Amino acid sequence: MNLRRLTAPIAIGGLVVCAVAAGLTVAGAYGVTPFELPREAETATAVTGGDTPVAAGSANATIDDGIIVVDPFASEPLSDEERMEFMGREQVIAECMAEQNTEYLPSAPWLNQHPQPRGLSFEQSVIWLNAFYGESRESWSVPTAEWERRGCVGVGDHAVAVARAAGTPLSAPLPEPDPDALTWEEEAAAYSAVVESCMAELGFGLNSDGTAAWDDAMWGDTGAGAAYRWEEAGCAGYATHVTGNDNMH
């Protein structure tokens, strides 16, 4: 299985990297966060116990015929209360992952923190992603309400819903920002600069010229999953590695 055929779309200028999680274990390398879990459309409905579907992007958890409908964080939490609830959810997810002998780093995406530890092999990344996403890693169409099928992120969402329905939202202390940490924009600029320099050395620009040679220069010919090797993944793989985002550090 060729990596380049599993990666779409990529807009190098803004470092918009969207890995196809069903077959691409490098998804975790790009800092995928729970509230950025790929979904089809926010208007998609969640399964409930009654006849009325509930919008998957609803702000709050609701109960229908005794079944709790779980809604993930559809956007970045902004207020301190929302962020403390998010961190409470992070703690639940970390406990769930620990029960599966997998480390999870409770993280604040608004501080550009990432939950997946560095230094994992791709085999370990597979285990991590399977524990985190459950069945939804293979099919993003798993209904939001079927939280048991959605791995530890589903466990976290369910805990949020139960706590909200009880009138006692989850809460955990907010982490302090690291003054030395790069912002997402700074990381994106560094990645883009490495890709641009690498491609220029090979005689190409950032934008595809429609040739197989450009594809080879950008993506190389590496495999996916455990078969991935950054040395064979073209300038994209090289840039991902030297900026410290491929778990091979």
Side-chain angles (χ1 to χ4, degrees):
M1 186 177 294
N2 188 283
L3 180 64
R4 83 178 82 163
R5 296 176 183 174
L6 294 175
T7 312
I10 293 190
I12 296 299
L15 188 63
V16 178
V17 182
C18 181
V20 180
L24 187 58
T25 60
V26 296
Y30 294 118
V32 174
T33 57
F35 65 80
E36 293 172 339
L37 177 66
R39 291 282 168 190
E40 292 183 356
E42 290 187 9
T43 55
T45 57
V47 175
T48 73
D51 296 328
T52 304
V54 178
S58 300
N60 298 309
T62 60
I63 297 179
D64 184 2
D65 290 354
I67 296 180
I68 294 177
V69 178
V70 185
D71 297 320
F73 289 87
S75 60
E76 182 177 322
L78 298 177
S79 70
D80 283 349
E81 291 77 12
E82 290 174 331
R83 289 179 172 181
M84 291 173 69
E85 182 184 37
F86 185 93
M87 294 310 300
R89 174 175 175 265
E90 287 288 277
Q91 293 294 336
V92 172
I93 293 173
E95 292 171 5
C96 173
M97 296 285 277
E99 291 175 359
Q100 301 188 49
N101 299 316
T102 304
E103 184 180 12
Y104 182 90
L105 306 176
S107 59
W110 54 91
L111 297 179
N112 198 32
Q113 297 176 347
H114 307 299
Q116 189 182 52
R118 291 280 177 87
L120 301 181
S121 67
F122 274 87
E123 291 83 354
Q124 292 171 323
S125 293
V126 170
I127 295 171
W128 194 96
L129 291 168
N130 285 341
F132 182 71
Y133 287 122
E135 293 179 38
S136 63
R137 180 169 175 262
E138 299 297 330
S139 173
W140 301 119
S141 63
V142 174
T144 304
E146 297 183 21
W147 60 272
E148 301 98 329
R149 299 174 57 195
R150 295 174 44 239
C152 287
V153 70
V155 172
D157 287 342
H158 180 254
V160 169
V162 171
R164 286 179 179 177
T168 55
L170 298 178
S171 182
L174 297 179
E176 293 293 328
D178 180 356
D180 298 323
L182 295 178
T183 65
W184 189 92
E185 290 78 11
E186 289 170 336
E187 285 190 349
Y191 175 89
S192 182
V194 174
V195 173
E196 183 174 14
S197 175
C198 175
M199 291 295 283
E201 289 180 7
L202 298 175
F204 298 99
L206 285 178
N207 296 321
S208 174
D209 59 12
T211 66
W214 188 95
D215 286 345
D216 287 337
M218 179 61 79
W219 309 119
D221 194 32
T222 190
Y228 176 88
R229 298 292 181 271
W230 70 264
E231 300 94 335
E232 301 169 2
C235 287
Y238 171 75
T240 301
H241 179 73
V242 299
T243 55
N245 289 307
D246 64 359
N247 288 328
M248 293 188 177
H249 289 81

